[in-house]
Amino acid sequence: MSLLAAAGLWGPPGLLLTFALHPALCLRPAPTSGPPHRDYCVLGAGPAGLQMAYFLQRAGRDYAVFERAPRPGSFFTRYPRHRKLISINKRHTGKANAEFNLRHDWNSLLSHDPRLLFRHYSSAYFPDAGDMVRYLDDFADRLGLHVLYNTTIAHVTLNKDRQAWNGHYFLLTDQMGHAHRCSVLLVATGLSVPNQVDFPGSEYTEGYESVSVDPKDFEGQNVLILGRGNSAFETAENILGVTNFIHMLSRSRVRLSWATHYVGDLRAINNGLLDTYQLKSLDGLLESDLTDLAIVKDREGKFRVTLKFFLEEGNQSTDAITLPQDDNDNFAMRVAYDRVIRCLGWNFDFSIFDKSLRLSSGGEFSKKYPLVKASYESKGSRGLFVLGTASHSVDYRKSAGGFIHGFRYTARAVHRLLEHRHHGVAWPSTEHPVSQLTSSIVRRINEASGLYQMFGVLADVVLLKENATAFEYLEELPVQMLAQLETITGRRARHGLFVINMEYGRNFSGPDKDVFFHDRSVGHTEDAWQSNFLHPVIYYYRHLPTEQEVRFRPADWALPRPTAIHHIVEDFLTDWTAPVGHILPLRRFLENCLDTDLRSFYAEPAGKKGNSPEAGCQEKHKAIAGHGLSPIISSLEPGVLLPVCPNTPEAASLLPAGVPENAGARGN
Amino acid sequence: MMSSSFNIYRVGISFVMMCIFYKSAVDSLSELSPQKYFSTLQPGKASLAYFCQADSPRTSIFLEELNEAVKPLQDFGISVAKVNCVKEETSRYCGKEKDLMKVYLFRGNILLREFPTDTLFDVNAIIAHVLFALLFNEVKYITTLEDLQNIENSLKGKANIAFSYVRAIGTPEHRAVMEAAFVYGTTYQFVLTTEIALLESIGTEAIENAHFYFFHCKQVLDLTQQCRRTLMEQPLATLNIHRFIKTMEAPLLTEVAEDPQQVSTVHLQLGLPLVFIVSQQATHEADRRTAEWVAWRLLGKAGVLLLLRDSLEVDIPQHANVVFRRAEEGAPVEFLVLHDTELIISRVEGNTHIEEMQEDEDEDMQSPDMDIQDDEVAETVYRHRKTQLPLELTVELTEETFNATVVASDSIVLFYAGWQAVSMAFLQSYIDLAIKLKGTSTLLLTRVNCADWSDLCTKQNVTEFPVVKMYKEGKHPVSYAGMLGTEDLLKFILLNRISCPVNITSVQEAEEYLSGELYKDLVPYSSVSVLGLFSPNMTIAKEDFTKAGNYLRGFVITGIYSEEDVLILSNKYGATLPALLLARHKEGKVESIPFANSRVQDIVQIVTNALLETFPEITVENLPVYLRLQKPLLILFSDGSINPQYTKAILTLVKEKHLDSLTPCWLNLKNTPAGRGILQTYFNALPPLPLIVVVNLHSGGQVFAFPSEQAITEQNLLLWLKKLEAGLESPITILPAQEWKPPLPAYDFLSMMDAAASQHPTRKEPECTKETNMQKNDKQQHEDKSTIRKEPVETLRIKHWNRSNWFKEGDKSFRHDNKEL
């Protein structure tokens, strides 16, 4: 019954109903065949749940999505309260490349259907939440995702069974008391419980989830807002023009997302209050720990801020309560407020999970999230994965895993892990001769959206084959799982590897950083390691790092110390295709790691025919271009079919040096 | 012509005088009586006289030509006269009949030669013949290779040879040679031939009207050694020969230690550029060798000098290794960084533009070389980035148009990436192909830029670039796996026009197919035509063969015949069914191979093997195929087409199974200039050709050279190979085992980061530190950074935290300063 208590006042109505029905479930005779079984159960038909459902569907897996509401994306039917999404709907980038365009599309889910791009649903840069609901609805419909609507999973428990994939089944009980048995549980329920801070007088506060959104209700009022996230500022923004003043109180300083590079921090679109505060227009920001505060209601029904400490001094009547200004007559919050609004964010709903699942909350500083490993699997029970916003503990305040434009990729990563774990499908990869190495990397750093959005969390991995004559390219691996790469992907990493990660400069981002300092951009290739803006970083490891090495890596390193590292210099256009500025240093780095020559050559040296420079060059272009190290490019089919394309520099092609062991054979 | 003669002016005055004058002033022909004429003859002086009847026409074509020859001949000190044979004063030189008049050449009053007038058909012929007669001793006329070798041998260590071939005596080229011989005849041995076979045997390719060689015999001391030869590349004309000889006379390599701007050599006066190889004391020996090699390559094209940096007064850019100065007055001296001697050559030959170094730029850069593009494909593509390709000749496909297009018409699709150099180089070839095929092909040439249509490419299973696929009749697309050039792609396209295998329906058609008649236009692209013979009931074998044919499509022509009368064919070619007939069109042979129970892969293998030649000409394209045989290569290097005798000798050895452990092949330097680089690696300098080498690439890397003094005959070769086998020969060089290394180092960012971490622990605002200073500090820090790496970073982090959170008091969070709530 502790569950009931935890659900408290804020539990959605459906939950109360469920608990009422719970005893009935116990009385129901168990069907002989057991509850209906699914390999995969997804909780929640929000963006993350639908995204996962899409991948499961495409892979032909046995799955179901459970959604308590009648349609997908119910969160967006109510939130954000002021209906404006702060996820960018960038409809034009000037490029046709669909993968690249996803770098600037923060709302779409991944699918093969180009009609299911969010830009077809809204033309607003900051779109309306209603459009998101419509989009998710279409996504589920068009793709024919298997969603059980109006099904509230009220309780999840564990059932040990040796036959099960993970040694246990997950038993889900819905509001009707029907049970569902699942091999793998994918929790995509988001953060649904508004966060509350317990302090004396907290009952006088109104919550973001219910406060009026009509500015008229705030005409001529003094307003105190608790919190300093986007919901707080969004609320303030709405009433800024009608109040006397707004004070905003939070434990820590405001964090501006353009300074932290974290989209969850205060976005410029909501920060009108900062402007009026700094331009002396009576509004203001204050920092204090809410738990030290108390709010008391005075005789006129107005709210006064005091310290909890004073309250504890004795049981006094309201009038007699000591106020800070009694001692300290210039105390900032000495005015009386008409309203106190609480905008303190959201927590994960732990209430439905039975203790046996050992789904615990994250550490002291990410309490609102369930604790998961870098693979998004719960630390407590194998086979339970957390997706979507709820999975943000992995990269909270670092990357985009808590947002659609981030977790659409982490969902894909989880799906790939599962495909390997349960279906023997190795992590998808492409194999190429080493001559394609530079190009493969250049292609990805210039278009891959997963790398770009989930910088520092998902990274590409190049696994070298023996003697580095060929390589496998794996995309978007949870990089903190690097040490377990072989077990989670089914690929071998015995001959060294490269990791391609995107990073901001070490000391560039942060709430107190001046991100517009003079000389902030780095232009010279030799200074690339000092790049500040997001740029590709390539790590080379001779051996796969161990778990120890990953865990105890140097502070502020994204990955363990590599054998060698390369930074591709930041680029104003995020276009890393400059032949000399970007590609050449990258090639040199790869060459030196592999101790080989990766240049391309014409089959014949220039200057054979033609006298005018122009003619000479034309001739040269006509000549045959070869590729890097391996003298072969025809590696598409097995066998020994001619013709082959040599690529060695003209002279070297007859030297043993130019001719690797496999000369003339296939690239492996 | 005129401008170049001005350049020459200062050099060979006597020679040039005549060149200038013979065009401008024309003296008229003096007409004399025989008596008068003979009285004018002076001892030792040459004179040309045309004896004619007094009553003959005053003008004739011959007289016009003779008139024109007067002045030039006078410049050579030869007088010319028309002698009128009057009746009262006959001479034996006066012919009996009108049309038998002749021209006579006298020295003093001694008759040297008489010429029928039709020999002297024009002014060139007149001058050529006259000088040829006068310079009888100076110019040796030869007809056989032996003659040439004899002369060569006799002059080794003594004098150089000016050897020329002209198509015929009396041509303008012949005149030019004779005029040169008139001036230089005493300095060099002039040798002349009109035998084209002789020219062929010394390995001249693409024989034209005339060729002029300079044989450097004077410095040859070892009589077994061949004289080095330099071919004049300009057309055979008097001035060109003159200039050419002047450059041959100039020292091969001069060492200088003065400002390149001030240096003057004969080359500049001749309008040729100067190449300075920058050297310093430490590397002087090696630089000199390089410079010599370059000098030989550029002989006649540019002057090569060795510039000693150490003893130089003026500053030259630190990294420049080559200085280039054009002949034009006031042309700036260019300082270059070239990593390959070939680049110097091509620079001189005007084919390559290399990025020039600014004189005072980047003096203190860490390693400026690293930023220089050393990928030749990337370099050319970058250089031509502003050149607009006629892309409209190919259809650009997009995600929207792709499927409809490849379904609607047979298409070839180039998948490329706009940012990738190899793609863009190949795109150029592809456009060239489009130009070639314009209006002749029903095939639609299309392209997809995968930088734009990434998903489309992925869907078509294109994950690397460039890729060419052929979409035909809605069948599974065929990927092209050949060289990335126009020729090979054209072959692929053409061979794909017919289905593979082709269904042959009658014996007669089969015969036409085997003879190459049926697909006459395709035979040049497929040296072998394969015909599978089956009895009608051999379904499985037929199926396998069809699969193999599909697999080989675009690569070799295959056909299938399985009519009831198939026995006619199998009997004729002595084959048992099922059989493969291989028609080798070059040799006109048809051989049969039984292949009962062979599966698809085996058939592919059989055909692939059949394409290997016994004594192939090695090219860059086919080298990997032969290397795959994993045997040492026996390579005959030839500067031009191969002597048929050598071919015969080697084929005999092959036949007698003496070469089973080797892959015999030959390399034509004319077709494969890369061979020069190879020879240079083997011999350090370009050796005389032809030459036989055995290279053991797969184990050891030894290179053995067949002694050049021995004739390439079956016996000699066999003997030598026996010695090789017995280990009695020592290699001329051993190729290093691992040379395929990174051309240049990369930036060591890891060290830089380490150094920065220990040096600037609280570097928060980069403007505090000048970037350049930092770099210097970093360098100094390099040595001891590794040991102190870990700790400072940790303390650093704490400090950093303290600073950024100083305004918050009593915060419990220590490690997770970023997380809260």
Side-chain angles (χ1 to χ4, degrees):
Chain A
M1 278 294 94
S2 64
L3 281 174
L4 188 58
L9 265 174
W10 303 107
L15 273 184
L16 290 175
L17 176 68
T18 322
F19 281 107
L21 289 167
H22 195 226
L25 172 78
C26 305
L27 298 174
R28 199 166 59 102
T32 45
S33 58
H37 173 86
R38 302 218 186 260
D39 289 344
Y40 295 96
C41 293
V42 183
L43 290 192
L50 294 181
Q51 184 67 80
M52 193 64 190
Y54 168 74
F55 292 120
L56 291 168
Q57 172 116 339
R58 292 285 281 181
R61 301 296 165 216
D62 172 35
Y63 80 97
V65 184
F66 299 91
E67 169 59 44
R68 67 181 173 196
R71 296 306 304 159
S74 63
F75 180 88
F76 292 97
T77 57
R78 183 159 179 83
Y79 304 112
R81 293 295 313 283
H82 304 89
R83 308 312 289 147
K84 188 186 271 189
L85 296 176
I86 53 174
S87 46
I88 290 169
N89 176 34
K90 198 169 173 63
R91 293 177 304 134
H92 304 288
T93 63
K95 301 211 182 191
N97 189 320
E99 175 65 20
F100 174 88
N101 286 342
L102 277 175
R103 287 184 168 190
H104 303 288
D105 178 341
W106 292 16
N107 296 293
S108 300
L109 295 178
L110 303 177
S111 79
H112 60 282
D113 187 347
R115 293 173 302 172
L116 288 173
L117 286 174
F118 195 79
R119 63 186 157 93
H120 303 310
Y121 288 80
S122 170
S123 59
Y125 192 45
F126 293 103
D128 189 86
D131 293 329
M132 177 56 79
V133 177
R134 200 159 50 84
Y135 172 76
L136 295 174
D137 210 48
D138 265 14
F139 190 87
D141 272 2
R142 282 234 179 115
L143 297 170
L145 302 180
H146 189 45
V147 187
L148 303 173
Y149 294 106
N150 301 310
T151 308
T152 306
I153 297 303
H155 194 67
V156 180
T157 181
L158 209 63
N159 191 357
K160 292 234 184 291
D161 189 328
R162 282 200 194 154
Q163 303 287 305
W165 288 355
N166 294 299
H168 49 246
Y169 290 111
F170 297 96
L171 277 184
L172 277 52
T173 313
D174 66 20
Q175 80 277 21
M176 308 295 288
H178 297 146
H180 305 268
R181 196 180 77 171
C182 316
S183 299
V184 173
L185 181 62
L186 300 149
V187 179
T189 50
L191 302 181
S192 56
V193 185
N195 183 37
Q196 299 198 68
V197 178
D198 196 25
F199 59 88
S202 60
E203 66 273 18
Y204 301 128
T205 63
E206 298 171 80
Y208 167 79
E209 60 281 0
S210 57
V211 73
S212 163
V213 292
D214 185 358
K216 280 190 198 130
D217 297 340
F218 298 85
E219 204 82 46
Q221 294 188 347
N222 303 344
V223 179
L224 176 66
I225 297 178
L226 306 178
R228 45 99 246 231
N230 275 302
S231 59
F233 277 88
E234 169 200 321
T235 307
E237 192 82 16
N238 186 44
I239 56 175
L240 203 52
V242 297
T243 53
N244 296 335
F245 55 79
I246 302 171
H247 287 168
M248 203 172 266
L249 182 67
S250 67
R251 183 170 57 178
S252 62
R253 296 181 43 171
V254 63
R255 296 163 174 272
L256 300 165
S257 64
W258 45 259
T260 58
H261 301 119
Y262 174 66
V263 293
D265 283 331
L266 177 58
R267 301 285 304 284
I269 183 173
N270 281 334
N271 72 6
L273 186 124
L274 295 183
D275 206 44
T276 55
Y277 169 39
Q278 295 294 354
L279 296 178
K280 58 194 186 316
S281 304
L282 298 178
D283 301 320
L285 261 68
L286 297 144
E287 280 99 43
S288 175
D289 196 334
L290 295 182
T291 50
D292 294 339
L293 291 186
I295 290 174
V296 291
K297 200 172 186 176
D298 69 12
R299 229 174 288 164
E300 289 121 47
K302 300 212 172 184
F303 304 110
R304 291 189 172 268
V305 176
T306 184
L307 299 176
K308 198 153 121 192
F309 169 75
F310 293 138
L311 247 66
E312 286 159 359
E313 279 182 337
N315 250 340
Q316 301 144 314
S317 66
T318 316
D319 287 342
I321 289 173
T322 323
L323 294 175
Q325 53 266 45
D326 297 344
D327 288 336
N328 193 353
D329 61 8
N330 64 349
F331 176 63
M333 287 181 286
R334 60 188 181 270
V335 288
Y337 296 99
D338 296 298
R339 280 187 132 137
V340 181
I341 306 168
R342 165 178 54 71
C343 306
L344 295 173
W346 312 84
N347 290 329
F348 179 73
D349 184 1
F350 288 94
S351 65
I352 61 167
F353 298 97
D354 188 87
K355 264 191 192 148
S356 58
L357 283 114
R358 295 189 294 159
L359 188 66
S360 56
S361 72
E364 185 70 14
F365 301 95
S366 52
K367 264 190 210 159
K368 57 180 174 179
Y369 299 114
L371 193 62
V372 292
K373 297 194 251 185
S375 58
Y376 300 91
E377 189 166 22
S378 157
K379 285 198 172 160
S381 36
R382 187 175 157 88
L384 193 160
F385 289 84
V386 179
L387 306 174
T389 304
S391 70
H392 200 21
S393 66
V394 169
D395 60 340
Y396 182 54
R397 292 211 170 287
K398 290 198 182 93
S399 202
F403 312 92
I404 294 176
H405 66 277
F407 63 61
R408 61 189 182 203
Y409 303 102
T410 58
R412 183 159 67 187
V414 168
H415 176 249
R416 286 171 176 166
L417 294 175
L418 291 169
E419 284 292 299
H420 176 243
R421 183 189 280 183
H422 299 305
H423 310 286
V425 180
W427 193 281
S429 77
T430 51
E431 194 174 327
H432 307 279
V434 76
S435 57
Q436 286 284 334
L437 182 55
T438 317
S439 287
S440 294
I441 294 175
V442 171
R443 179 186 189 183
R444 287 287 294 168
I445 60 174
N446 279 296
E447 66 176 29
S449 57
L451 283 189
Y452 191 85
Q453 304 284 29
M454 288 304 291
F455 62 91
V457 177
L458 300 181
D460 284 1
V461 175
V462 167
L463 300 178
L464 294 163
K465 297 280 176 187
E466 200 167 356
N467 298 326
T469 52
F471 65 92
E472 274 182 295
Y473 201 104
L474 278 63
E475 296 177 358
E476 293 167 19
L477 202 77
V479 76
Q480 295 307 318
M481 297 299 287
L482 191 61
Q484 295 95 324
L485 182 139
E486 295 197 339
T487 38
I488 65 170
T489 64
R491 307 275 173 197
R492 295 270 152 261
R494 294 293 153 84
H495 306 286
L497 66 152
F498 290 98
V499 178
I500 296 101
N501 193 25
M502 302 281 271
E503 293 174 13
Y504 281 98
R506 281 284 158 77
N507 287 317
F508 187 49
S509 315
D512 57 340
K513 296 289 167 59
D514 173 12
V515 287
F516 297 111
F517 64 82
H518 181 62
D519 273 349
R520 64 186 172 279
S521 66
V522 171
H524 289 294
T525 49
E526 69 269 28
D527 302 329
W529 63 282
Q530 292 172 307
S531 294
N532 283 313
F533 204 72
L534 193 66
H535 63 282
V537 183
I538 294 123
Y539 294 75
Y540 171 63
Y541 296 95
R542 252 185 222 119
H543 310 285
L544 195 62
T546 61
E547 280 189 69
Q548 290 287 309
E549 283 168 342
V550 174
R551 194 177 309 158
F552 300 109
R553 63 185 186 273
D556 73 10
W557 276 71
L559 283 166
R561 189 179 164 82
T563 311
I565 195 167
H566 182 69
H567 289 254
I568 299 181
V569 70
E570 59 184 325
D571 189 80
F572 190 61
L573 304 173
T574 62
D575 174 1
W576 290 279
T577 59
V580 176
H582 302 136
I583 301 176
L584 180 65
L586 173 63
R587 171 168 64 79
R588 297 216 190 288
F589 168 73
L590 299 173
E591 283 175 337
N592 281 278
C593 290
L594 304 179
D595 199 26
T596 187
D597 187 337
L598 293 176
R599 290 179 290 176
S600 312
F601 297 92
Y602 290 106
E604 280 296 331
K608 194 171 127 192
K609 294 167 200 158
N611 278 320
S612 75
E614 207 43 49
C617 297
Q618 292 291 331
E619 194 56 46
K620 201 163 176 185
H621 267 302
K622 275 178 208 158
I624 302 140
H627 285 215
L629 170 75
S630 151
I632 306 291
I633 58 156
S634 57
S635 53
L636 296 171
E637 313 252 1
V640 285
L641 185 60
L642 299 178
V644 289
C645 182
N647 37 2
T648 46
E650 63 284 2
S653 65
L654 279 189
L655 311 177
V659 182
E661 290 303 308
N662 61 335
R666 290 300 160 141
N668 48 3
Chain B
M1 186 71 181
M2 284 314 284
S3 71
S4 35
S5 36
F6 279 122
N7 272 329
I8 302 293
Y9 189 62
R10 280 163 288 178
V11 197
I13 292 178
S14 66
F15 184 68
V16 172
M17 294 294 271
M18 101 208 169
C19 297
I20 293 170
F21 287 144
Y22 85 79
K23 286 232 166 192
S24 47
V26 178
D27 280 15
S28 58
L29 190 60
S30 54
E31 294 196 28
L32 302 167
S33 67
Q35 200 176 12
K36 190 90 189 283
Y37 171 71
F38 284 111
S39 68
T40 59
L41 295 181
Q42 295 165 27
K45 277 212 73 170
S47 170
L48 186 71
Y50 172 50
F51 286 78
C52 62
Q53 302 291 349
D55 54 346
S56 64
R58 299 291 297 172
T59 57
S60 70
I61 293 171
F62 171 71
L63 276 175
E64 270 171 34
E65 294 295 334
L66 186 63
N67 209 28
E68 212 173 302
V70 172
K71 184 59 201 164
L73 286 174
Q74 274 177 0
D75 290 332
F76 292 110
I78 302 158
S79 58
V80 184
K82 181 185 170 210
V83 179
N84 293 320
C85 296
V86 287
K87 272 195 185 124
E88 58 276 26
E89 208 183 345
T90 53
S91 155
R92 60 186 172 110
Y93 298 109
C94 290
K96 295 282 181 292
E97 285 163 52
K98 268 185 194 172
D99 39 14
L100 281 177
M101 290 292 116
K102 284 188 175 168
V103 185
Y104 296 91
L105 179 66
F106 297 92
R107 180 177 281 142
N109 50 12
I110 303 154
L111 173 66
L112 289 182
R113 283 273 313 261
E114 57 174 317
F115 305 99
T117 51
D118 58 350
T119 324
L120 308 180
F121 45 87
D122 71 352
V123 61
N124 290 320
I126 296 169
I127 295 166
H129 274 284
V130 168
L131 291 178
F132 197 26
L134 288 172
L135 299 172
F136 181 74
N137 288 321
E138 280 88 348
V139 181
K140 289 223 160 75
Y141 180 79
I142 59 164
T143 52
T144 65
L145 183 61
E146 207 184 344
D147 293 342
L148 183 61
Q149 279 163 349
N150 287 340
I151 295 173
E152 208 180 315
N153 285 335
S154 67
L155 288 174
K156 278 178 188 163
K158 295 179 191 129
N160 293 326
I161 299 173
F163 169 64
S164 46
Y165 158 81
V166 293
R167 201 183 37 184
I169 300 295
T171 55
E173 290 81 17
H174 181 214
R175 171 185 168 180
V177 172
M178 295 320 300
E179 286 179 342
F182 188 86
V183 179
Y184 295 106
T186 50
T187 321
Y188 307 111
Q189 178 62 58
F190 274 71
V191 177
L192 181 73
T193 187
T194 51
E195 294 300 316
I196 202 157
L198 173 54
L199 208 59
E200 275 167 356
S201 60
I202 68 163
T204 310
E205 285 278 297
I207 293 169
E208 290 164 18
N209 275 346
H211 289 276
F212 190 91
Y213 278 96
F214 195 87
F215 286 20
H216 305 263
C217 290
K218 199 170 178 178
Q219 73 226 53
V220 177
L221 298 174
D222 178 0
L223 290 183
T224 56
Q225 211 183 324
Q226 211 179 14
C227 304
R228 237 178 223 276
R229 297 165 184 172
T230 310
L231 172 67
M232 184 174 87
E233 288 184 355
Q234 287 78 27
L236 232 169
T238 314
L239 274 174
N240 287 339
I241 299 176
H242 170 69
R243 191 193 319 215
F244 182 66
I245 288 179
K246 276 289 162 199
T247 56
M248 296 299 119
E249 285 175 334
L252 180 68
L253 181 67
T254 320
E255 290 198 15
V256 291
E258 53 185 304
D259 185 355
Q261 189 73 66
Q262 306 303 326
V263 173
S264 176
T265 72
V266 68
H267 300 94
L268 283 182
Q269 294 154 5
L270 292 171
L272 297 175
L274 291 186
V275 173
F276 298 82
I277 310 285
V278 181
S279 170
Q280 41 203 353
Q281 211 58 53
T283 57
H284 182 258
E285 259 320 293
D287 293 339
R288 197 178 162 86
R289 273 200 302 278
T290 313
E292 270 175 12
W293 185 79
V294 171
W296 275 115
R297 287 286 306 271
L298 289 177
L299 197 56
K301 295 171 198 151
V304 179
L305 301 94
L306 198 63
L307 185 65
L308 302 169
R309 185 198 286 274
D310 307 294
S311 39
L312 201 60
E313 297 281 325
V314 284
D315 260 16
I316 59 168
Q318 200 187 341
H319 303 283
N321 58 3
V322 173
V323 183
F324 188 74
R325 181 171 159 206
R326 280 179 302 176
E328 287 89 323
E329 194 92 16
V333 171
E334 298 162 71
F335 296 94
L336 311 169
V337 183
L338 303 176
H339 300 290
D340 186 350
T341 45
E342 285 293 341
L343 290 176
I344 306 178
I345 311 298
S346 48
R347 170 91 195 179
V348 169
E349 289 169 354
N351 285 345
T352 318
H353 162 90
I354 285 102
E355 264 173 59
E356 286 163 33
M357 255 187 74
Q358 296 301 308
E359 280 217 30
D360 49 359
E361 191 201 44
D362 298 329
E363 279 296 312
D364 51 355
M365 258 173 63
Q366 238 186 338
S367 46
D369 290 354
M370 289 166 69
D371 281 345
I372 290 177
Q373 183 61 267
D374 50 2
D375 181 310
E376 59 184 42
V377 179
E379 195 276 327
T380 46
V381 169
Y382 184 70
R383 180 148 37 82
H384 289 276
R385 66 195 183 280
K386 289 186 179 162
T387 313
Q388 289 284 324
L389 289 176
L391 290 173
E392 63 281 358
L393 292 173
T394 56
V395 182
E396 182 173 19
L397 298 183
T398 68
E399 224 144 56
E400 286 85 41
T401 59
F402 181 85
N403 283 325
T405 309
V406 299
V407 166
S409 51
D410 291 351
S411 315
I412 188 141
V413 186
L414 166 65
F415 296 91
Y416 67 105
W419 46 263
Q420 196 213 29
V422 175
S423 279
M424 294 314 281
F426 186 43
L427 180 60
Q428 161 103 50
S429 302
Y430 192 65
I431 299 292
D432 291 342
L433 180 75
I435 294 169
K436 265 193 190 172
L437 287 177
K438 203 175 172 186
T440 65
S441 176
T442 53
L443 198 66
L444 194 64
L445 265 74
T446 67
R447 65 198 153 83
V448 174
N449 185 352
C450 296
D452 288 335
W453 308 106
S454 189
D455 290 355
L456 169 61
C457 298
T458 311
K459 261 179 228 156
Q460 294 302 316
N461 206 13
V462 173
T463 53
E464 48 191 60
F465 317 110
V467 164
V468 172
K469 289 192 179 203
M470 183 175 282
Y471 294 77
K472 229 177 155 185
E473 295 149 18
K475 275 189 217 151
H476 197 70
V478 183
S479 289
Y480 169 70
M483 299 282 288
L484 303 177
T486 312
E487 281 309 314
D488 280 32
L489 186 54
L490 180 67
K491 168 183 164 176
F492 174 75
I493 289 174
L494 292 179
L495 292 186
N496 259 299
R497 277 187 185 166
I498 55 168
S499 58
C500 223
V502 166
N503 214 3
I504 307 285
T505 50
S506 71
V507 172
Q508 195 198 342
E509 197 187 2
E511 293 288 8
E512 280 172 17
Y513 173 83
L514 290 172
S515 69
E517 275 299 303
L518 191 58
Y519 296 112
K520 214 189 278 174
D521 48 336
L522 296 183
V523 163
Y525 298 98
S526 176
S527 59
V528 172
S529 292
V530 182
L531 182 63
L533 297 182
F534 305 91
S535 30
N537 57 354
M538 297 175 167
T539 359
I540 294 171
K542 271 197 279 185
E543 208 170 278
D544 284 347
F545 180 76
T546 306
K547 274 186 200 152
N550 271 320
Y551 193 74
L552 291 163
R553 67 185 295 180
F555 171 57
V556 67
I557 303 177
T558 54
I560 187 166
Y561 189 74
S562 70
E563 300 296 321
E564 294 292 346
D565 55 359
V566 69
L567 284 176
I568 302 177
L569 284 171
S570 62
N571 289 340
K572 180 177 173 189
Y573 293 103
T576 37
L577 297 176
L580 287 183
L581 296 185
L582 293 170
R584 297 180 186 275
H585 299 301
K586 236 193 272 173
E587 293 142 56
K589 277 197 303 194
V590 176
E591 55 188 276
S592 75
I593 301 170
F595 75 109
N597 301 324
S598 297
R599 306 300 300 181
V600 183
Q601 270 313 313
D602 304 327
I603 302 171
V604 169
Q605 190 67 54
I606 290 168
V607 175
T608 312
N609 286 345
L611 289 172
L612 297 178
E613 296 172 45
T614 38
F615 184 48
E617 180 191 337
I618 277 292
T619 60
V620 178
E621 291 85 343
N622 68 15
L623 174 66
V625 183
Y626 289 98
L627 278 182
R628 194 184 305 158
L629 302 173
Q630 297 274 321
K631 293 179 193 169
L633 297 174
L634 180 142
I635 316 173
L636 192 152
F637 286 90
S638 172
D639 199 12
S641 53
I642 190 172
N643 186 329
Q645 286 173 346
Y646 303 161
T647 313
K648 215 180 121 202
I650 288 174
L651 286 178
T652 316
L653 288 176
V654 171
K655 210 181 239 170
E656 290 167 5
K657 310 240 175 247
H658 294 301
L659 295 179
D660 283 0
S661 60
L662 300 169
T663 304
C665 57
W666 69 286
L667 191 147
N668 185 344
L669 287 190
K670 288 281 177 348
N671 296 339
T672 312
R676 282 181 209 285
I678 298 162
L679 283 176
Q680 211 200 331
T681 317
Y682 293 174
F683 292 91
N684 288 326
L686 217 54
L689 298 177
L691 181 104
I692 291 184
V693 161
V694 165
V695 192
N696 194 353
L697 284 180
H698 298 285
S699 55
Q702 304 98 329
V703 180
F704 302 93
F706 179 69
S708 59
E709 65 274 10
Q710 289 187 31
I712 300 175
T713 62
E714 219 177 293
Q715 293 82 357
N716 287 350
L717 265 176
L718 190 58
L719 208 65
W720 180 65
L721 289 173
K722 287 259 158 70
K723 277 204 241 162
L724 262 189
E725 213 173 325
L728 296 173
E729 290 281 324
S730 49
I732 53 164
T733 183
I734 294 178
L735 300 170
Q738 261 302 337
E739 275 291 292
W740 200 240
K741 293 286 181 189
L744 283 173
Y747 294 116
D748 187 358
F749 287 140
L750 199 56
S751 302
M752 293 185 202
M753 291 162 81
D754 287 341
S758 52
Q759 181 73 11
H760 301 283
T762 48
R763 197 181 88 85
K764 303 189 70 194
E765 280 136 327
E767 77 261 35
C768 303
T769 341
K770 265 275 186 196
E771 226 107 275
T772 44
N773 291 344
M774 237 185 96
Q775 217 87 63
K776 277 178 193 153
N777 289 339
D778 292 350
K779 265 194 210 158
Q780 290 155 9
Q781 290 292 317
H782 257 232
E783 294 82 43
D784 51 359
K785 84 266 163 167
S786 49
T787 45
I788 45 168
R789 171 171 30 87
K790 274 199 176 158
E791 266 216 84
V793 175
E794 197 57 35
T795 42
L796 247 189
R797 205 176 69 88
I798 294 163
K799 252 191 216 161
H800 152 80
W801 176 84
N802 280 341
R803 254 206 77 186
S804 58
N805 297 279
W806 62 273
F807 41 83
K808 284 205 291 183
E809 18 151 288
D811 199 306
K812 290 146 277 178
S813 79
F814 191 80
R815 302 192 67 87
H816 299 81
D817 57 300
N818 271 333
K819 299 197 175 185
E820 59 191 84
L821 248 175

